[in-house]
Amino acid sequence: MRTTTKRITALLLVLLLSASLLASCSERKDKEAETADTYLGENVDLGLAENEKLMDIIEVDGELRATVGVTSEEMAAKYGTDYLLENNTPYKTEYRYYDMEFVEDSAKREPTVPFYQIAQASDPSLNLVLGGEPYLYTDENGVETSYGVRYYIYKDGEKMGGVLNPNGENNYGKYTQYYARANVVWVDNAPYAWIDYDGFNMKVFAKDRFLKDLEYDPNVMHTVWGLMEIGGVPYVLNRAEQYEFGLGYNYFVEPIWEATQLMPIENKTDQIVLDGIEIEGIPTGSVFSDGTYGYYMCASELWQTDGKASHRISDLIYCGVNGKSEIRAIRILTDGRILVAADGGLVVLSISDSVVPAERNIYTLGVVNYHNGEDLTVEFSKFNSTTNDCKFVVKEYKDVSKMNLALLSGEVDMIVTNDQFMLKNYIKQGLLAPLDEVAPELFEKGVLIENIVDAARVDGTCYYLPRTFSIWGRVNECRILEEGQEPKTLREYYDFIREKTPGYLISLERTIMFTHLATNLDEWIDWENNTCHFNDGTFEAVLEFCEEGATMETINTNAIAHTSIFVLTDLLPDNYSTSVVDAKNYLAGFSDVNLEEPPTTWNEPWSWVPMPLPSSEYDGYEIRAAHFFAVVDKVESREAAGKFLKWHFLENVVETVAPDDPEADIPDYALKGILEFSINQEECDRYIGRNLSQNEEDEENGLSRERKRYNDTWNIIRNADHYRYFRNAVFDVMTEEAYRYFAGDITAKQAAEYVQNRVSLYLAEQG
């Protein structure tokens, strides 16, 4: 087994190439000191039943008053539910009283003033709450219909003003959902409220009106996450992110500018002013205040601000809280503790020198070059709730250099990233542990999909794996193909497109085309010797072919293209076949179809044949991994990493997937969160085999069709043999020079030479 000394020495050789990185080390430590956790979180059992949910909790006259939602089958039948199912349960709320040690006085239960209370001011003496009444309508036939709930602000038990619906009190839909979240403050004898009606429609109410949405540069995305009152001034918490249009691979992936802002609500304004105080943290919702400080969630982390600066005070991931948790209240007690109403339960935070109890073993998941949008705290908080032996905290690093420093200091135990190139460099430096040693159960025969595992092996050893994946390639309308005549090289593929389906070139923007043709770095890089050959004419050919594609100004999205990018995340559709013969047999079932000439309109029957993108290195399809899991080679954390991998890959699986129901609004697999294929072979088989349980009477038609889809899908998965590289140092260089070529600043030959020189130098530095 490699020693820690060898690993650190290898990493130092890389880090010493950049003195600036080492110079930033002290700055990083200072920053961490500023944001050190000061509160320890623990879950509290309030004795709630399965049909009960904590909505809020607040200190009143030396005791705790909890707002509890209670539902029943009768209520659901009368008031209805909507598409978010359990998240849209129509709760009726009541107050329950507890002492400061969370023991209930059950004799004091009483209903809230609103039927359904979702927010209240931090000072209970104000008697300011936000809630609603069922929105019921009886038609001329006496039939009663539920349209959800209409929200109001209540002061001293009486409604203030009309319905809190920006489209008028008789409007229903997204503004009458039961699962709305809100917070409310009282400033200058008037109410201010932020309401998130359904996870997407967030509105700010000031005194007696809704404020207009922000007016801003369309290149900048703004999200108003909540409202807080500090020192008598109401602020909205805004997250701004600016993206650069035209960079196909970069748009909505990595902002060129981002900021978290506190924006004051002016006294007479009708619109939120886009000018505020920048603070730290990336908010994800759930904003509250106590008049002195504001509090807001950043995924699983709780942050505090005084209106000028901000810092993290606790990470609730150990208590099962994650970036998708429903945080409905954050309350400060007179004894200094902080109460958090999270996911229908309660977490209590106490000031502590240690962020976790001494008996817990805490390990760090380092996240870098991660561009999926999926919140990793969800799975790790779920794992943390299953064990007391070890806990993981998720920590994101802005770039690879900061991850290098974290590895050098020993603070990272596992890594999650999209960057396969970075992982291969870490393998060369001896920093990653072989997964078959860390979690041998994963590598037993038939457990994981063998070829998906094999594609990740480096010199026969597996150091990283994805939990889920999709398959990428190309797909062609069968009538432009002949069986066995598919293009075998990229140059043949370019000529094939030019001859058979020129509509493709005018229907796809050139930068997007480049992204999908140039991510296979194995075409140009010899990883064993750390050399490259971008100057052999092949990269130049890619550029010249992509240059024939459309620009943002010339793109024709209605053009007829008989080829397309192929992305498979589910069962192969009915009109897709893995052979030209089968595809034409499918068309033969239609009348008046020419089996020799490709279609000229979208109204005709089409039949598609997928194929891998031709490659000089591979024969099969490309695997797109959502992200990779890797384990840092540290003796002290191997066991914990192995426990997580075993749980995540083998135990945390979907056990059953119901067959597709054409009458259902949402299929069962979508409700269970299945978005693509699982590397767990049995779980994957349940997903794509879900329709094979039809009745015997369907054998001749439906079942035989489903069996073909099942077999073809497995054939494509089994024929995948390499991973897609995306968002890494080399690809960024390739993209930069390609865009210069597309802009007309350099020739294709010059672009290839510049990439060759820059990447050669970079690879040499990696050692």
Side-chain angles (χ1 to χ4, degrees):
M1 186 173 66
R2 302 174 185 86
T3 64
T4 302
T5 302
K6 288 182 179 179
R7 294 199 308 272
I8 292 177
T9 301
L11 184 58
L12 275 171
L13 291 174
V14 175
L15 294 177
L16 288 173
L17 293 169
S18 176
S20 62
L21 297 184
L22 294 177
S24 68
C25 188
S26 60
E27 178 184 342
R28 179 177 63 85
K29 290 181 178 179
D30 292 341
K31 194 66 175 179
E32 287 183 352
E34 294 174 8
T35 61
D37 296 325
T38 54
Y39 283 83
L40 168 66
E42 294 290 342
N43 297 94
V44 176
D45 184 1
L46 293 177
L48 302 182
E50 288 186 6
N51 66 325
E52 298 175 344
K53 171 180 180 178
L54 179 66
M55 306 290 289
D56 196 354
I57 189 165
I58 195 169
E59 183 177 355
V60 182
D61 298 329
E63 63 180 350
L64 301 175
R65 185 180 72 193
T67 305
V68 177
V70 183
T71 192
S72 64
E73 292 183 1
E74 291 78 12
M75 287 177 59
K78 180 175 182 178
Y79 300 118
T81 59
D82 206 343
Y83 63 94
L84 287 186
L85 301 177
E86 70 273 7
N87 292 333
N88 195 30
T89 301
Y91 288 97
K92 179 173 176 57
T93 52
E94 63 184 30
Y95 288 145
R96 297 184 185 178
Y97 292 86
Y98 297 78
D99 64 20
M100 299 301 283
E101 300 305 318
F102 310 108
V103 177
E104 185 191 0
D105 182 353
S106 57
K108 292 182 65 175
R109 294 183 180 183
E110 58 184 353
T112 58
V113 172
F115 174 91
Y116 178 64
Q117 180 173 309
I118 63 172
Q120 62 184 316
S122 61
D123 181 355
S125 67
L126 290 171
N127 291 321
L128 180 72
V129 303
L130 193 155
E133 306 297 333
Y135 187 13
L136 300 174
Y137 173 75
T138 304
D139 64 18
E140 62 274 11
N141 298 317
V143 178
E144 191 175 58
T145 303
S146 173
Y147 289 140
V149 58
R150 293 199 288 190
Y151 293 100
Y152 301 86
I153 291 176
Y154 299 77
K155 184 76 169 70
D156 297 324
E158 302 292 333
K159 293 177 182 175
M160 293 187 68
V163 177
L164 292 177
N165 189 323
N167 291 340
E169 79 172 47
N170 292 324
N171 179 271
Y172 65 92
K174 60 189 176 185
Y175 298 113
T176 56
Q177 307 292 2
Y178 271 96
Y179 48 84
R181 292 186 301 160
N183 57 313
V184 58
V185 301
W186 183 259
V187 179
D188 294 333
N189 293 314
Y192 293 76
W194 170 87
I195 310 172
D196 176 7
Y197 288 94
D198 64 355
F200 301 98
N201 295 278
M202 305 174 188
K203 300 293 182 181
V204 176
F205 183 83
K207 295 187 175 181
D208 56 4
R209 65 201 182 282
F210 282 95
L211 300 187
K212 297 176 183 176
D213 292 334
L214 288 162
E215 288 186 0
Y216 50 81
D217 184 331
N219 288 346
V220 181
M221 294 178 60
H222 290 273
T223 305
V224 174
W225 280 114
L227 175 74
M228 63 180 72
E229 179 253 322
I230 301 176
V233 178
Y235 295 91
V236 293
L237 182 66
N238 177 60
R239 177 64 181 172
E241 297 174 316
Q242 183 177 0
Y243 297 88
E244 188 168 354
F245 284 96
L247 299 184
Y249 81 97
N250 203 32
Y251 184 54
F252 285 131
V253 171
E254 183 176 322
I256 60 175
W257 171 81
E258 55 186 333
T260 298
Q261 304 164 314
L262 281 176
M263 296 191 235
I265 301 178
E266 302 294 339
N267 216 6
K268 298 180 180 179
T269 186
D270 287 326
Q271 188 164 9
I272 300 171
V273 179
L274 192 58
D275 182 26
I277 303 162
E278 289 196 18
I279 58 175
E280 297 295 320
I282 302 177
T284 54
S286 306
V287 176
F288 302 91
S289 58
D290 60 8
T292 303
Y293 296 103
Y295 301 86
Y296 55 100
M297 296 299 299
C298 298
S300 64
E301 300 175 353
L302 176 60
W303 285 60
Q304 181 190 71
T305 179
D306 59 3
K308 299 176 183 178
S310 63
H311 63 283
R312 185 185 68 194
I313 60 175
S314 186
D315 193 338
L316 307 184
I317 194 170
Y318 313 113
C319 303
V321 175
N322 57 67
K324 293 185 179 179
S325 289
E326 183 184 275
I327 310 296
R328 286 194 167 268
I330 298 172
R331 302 297 181 193
I332 316 304
L333 303 183
T334 54
D335 61 12
R337 290 180 296 172
I338 300 176
L339 303 184
V340 181
D343 294 325
L346 178 64
V347 176
V348 59
L349 304 177
S350 304
I351 295 178
S352 174
D353 293 332
S354 172
V355 297
V356 290
E359 64 270 17
R360 292 186 186 171
N361 295 312
I362 305 303
Y363 302 93
T364 298
L365 174 79
V367 182
V368 68
N369 280 9
Y370 177 77
H371 307 288
N372 289 318
E374 182 181 341
D375 192 339
L376 290 169
T377 63
V378 174
E379 291 306 311
F380 277 87
S381 66
K382 189 176 177 182
F383 170 75
N384 287 345
S385 66
T386 69
T387 176
N388 290 320
D389 296 335
C390 57
K391 305 284 183 179
F392 278 89
V393 61
V394 178
K395 186 171 183 179
E396 186 168 357
Y397 299 90
K398 283 293 186 181
D399 53 45
V400 176
S401 65
K402 288 184 171 55
M403 174 62 82
N404 290 342
L405 288 169
L407 288 171
L408 175 63
S409 67
E411 69 182 39
V412 175
D413 302 289
M414 288 184 64
I415 297 173
V416 168
T417 184
N418 298 91
D419 192 346
Q420 188 183 193
F421 176 64
M422 179 194 76
L423 292 175
K424 287 190 172 182
N425 281 333
Y426 286 164
I427 292 169
K428 287 184 177 181
Q429 297 161 24
L431 295 169
L432 301 185
L435 296 186
D436 58 351
E437 296 179 10
V438 177
E441 299 91 343
L442 273 61
F443 297 89
E444 295 176 2
K445 187 174 180 59
V447 174
L448 303 184
I449 301 174
E450 186 174 358
N451 61 298
I452 306 300
V453 174
D454 288 344
R457 293 187 184 276
V458 177
D459 296 331
T461 302
C462 187
Y463 296 91
Y464 54 85
L465 280 175
R467 177 63 174 83
T468 60
F469 64 93
S470 56
I471 303 296
W472 289 54
R474 292 296 181 273
V475 64
N476 303 289
E477 215 287 330
C478 67
R479 283 162 284 189
I480 67 171
L481 291 171
E482 295 293 336
E483 190 72 27
Q485 298 298 312
E486 295 89 351
K488 298 298 190 295
T489 68
L490 280 172
R491 289 184 185 272
E492 288 180 7
Y493 175 72
Y494 305 150
D495 292 338
F496 170 79
I497 296 298
R498 291 170 177 131
E499 176 187 354
K500 297 288 188 178
T501 177
Y504 175 79
L505 295 171
I506 63 174
S507 64
L508 192 64
E509 205 273 329
R510 60 183 60 168
T511 60
I512 297 176
M513 192 183 303
F514 175 80
T515 297
H516 288 280
L517 287 174
T519 53
N520 183 9
L521 301 187
D522 297 340
E523 291 286 326
W524 298 285
I525 295 180
D526 178 347
W527 300 102
E528 184 175 351
N529 298 305
N530 264 17
T531 59
C532 59
H533 51 90
F534 290 94
N535 57 353
D536 64 0
T538 56
F539 185 68
E540 189 176 340
V542 173
L543 294 175
E544 291 173 341
F545 177 72
C546 292
E547 204 270 337
E548 297 176 42
T551 65
M552 295 297 291
E553 294 73 29
T554 65
I555 192 170
N556 181 356
T557 56
N558 295 318
I560 299 295
H562 298 100
T563 191
S564 181
I565 296 164
F566 175 63
V567 180
L568 187 66
T569 60
D570 193 1
L571 277 169
L572 201 65
D574 278 338
N575 63 332
Y576 282 61
S577 301
T578 53
S579 76
V580 175
V581 172
D582 286 348
K584 289 189 176 181
N585 286 339
Y586 169 82
L587 287 175
F590 295 87
S591 60
D592 301 325
V593 171
N594 188 332
L595 295 181
E596 302 303 323
E597 294 296 325
T600 57
T601 70
W602 295 115
N603 295 324
E604 303 172 58
W606 289 60
S607 186
W608 298 91
V609 180
M611 72 174 195
L613 181 68
S615 166
S616 62
E617 298 293 322
Y618 301 105
D619 297 320
Y621 289 95
E622 189 175 62
I623 308 164
R624 191 269 186 183
H627 45 265
F628 297 103
F629 290 86
V631 176
V632 180
D633 195 4
K634 295 167 60 178
V635 174
E636 57 269 31
S637 56
R638 273 194 177 206
E639 183 178 354
K643 285 184 177 181
F644 172 78
L645 291 175
K646 181 181 177 182
W647 173 84
H648 192 46
F649 283 75
L650 307 184
E651 300 170 11
N652 183 33
V653 298
V654 177
E655 296 290 353
T656 60
V657 184
D660 295 341
D661 181 359
E663 301 298 323
D665 293 334
I666 305 175
D668 181 61
Y669 67 83
L671 291 174
K672 292 176 176 175
I674 302 177
L675 302 177
E676 51 188 6
F677 302 118
S678 168
I679 196 173
N680 181 300
Q681 184 163 280
E682 291 185 356
E683 184 180 27
C684 186
D685 194 65
R686 287 191 288 270
Y687 172 42
I688 64 177
R690 62 186 183 272
N691 292 333
L692 297 182
S693 58
Q694 300 188 37
N695 296 327
E696 289 297 324
E697 61 192 48
D698 298 323
E699 173 72 28
E700 184 175 347
N701 297 312
L703 188 55
S704 61
R705 183 179 67 250
E706 291 298 339
R707 185 171 287 118
K708 179 181 180 301
R709 296 175 67 199
Y710 169 83
N711 290 334
D712 282 352
T713 302
W714 264 123
N715 285 340
I716 291 173
I717 292 174
R718 302 285 190 200
N719 195 26
D721 61 4
H722 65 286
Y723 284 95
R724 179 176 188 250
Y725 292 91
F726 188 57
R727 292 318 319 274
N728 54 67
V730 171
F731 185 68
D732 286 351
V733 169
M734 295 162 61
T735 302
E736 182 181 331
E737 299 298 348
Y739 286 6
R740 291 177 63 199
Y741 165 65
F742 296 148
D745 297 335
I746 56 177
T747 67
K749 185 175 182 61
Q750 286 175 317
E753 290 175 351
Y754 295 153
V755 171
Q756 173 68 19
N757 294 337
R758 293 177 64 183
V759 174
S760 293
L761 179 61
Y762 181 83
L763 292 173
E765 289 176 347
Q766 302 310 303

